[in-house]
Amino acid sequence: MTRPNVLGYLRRDIAGIHQQAIEPLMRSAAGDFGYSYTKTLALSDPFASERALIALVANLGVPAVIVPSLKHFGDGRPPEALMRLADVLVMEPRAKFTRIAPTGVS
């Protein structure tokens, strides 16, 4: 059975010198969550980075994103626009935020 893909996301300004150590941990955690790790998007600016992440998730159609911690989001929580596209997996503390179901079926 093929595992669904997950995109890694981290902010360089938060990961700092630990970025290279964090990426393999994200790959391992993705497997623990039942996903296949595809690649990492590593950016610095909190809000521009989130816009880039949301655009990439929309373009790739990945069903999930994994982050080292909620600190990697500008306001400490997954952006609603991202949650409409994908699940968000968090390594520390371990959590899974399930995608927001579309509303207003017509």
Side-chain angles (χ1 to χ4, degrees), residues 13-84:
D13 58 317
I14 293 175
I17 62 171
H18 304 289
Q19 180 178 336
Q20 288 185 342
I22 291 171
E23 290 185 49
L25 295 174
M26 289 172 53
R27 182 177 301 280
S28 177
D32 294 343
F33 276 107
Y35 290 82
S36 177
Y37 196 85
T38 56
K39 62 174 93 179
T40 303
L41 177 63
L43 301 170
S44 293
D45 178 86
F47 296 102
S49 296
E50 287 178 16
R51 287 191 300 272
L53 171 64
I54 292 162
L56 185 59
V57 168
N59 287 336
L60 295 176
V62 292
V65 171
I66 189 166
V67 295
S69 73
L70 291 174
K71 293 177 188 175
H72 290 260
F73 293 117
D75 61 3
R77 63 181 180 194
E80 184 176 327
L82 176 61
M83 294 296 305
R84 293 191 182 287

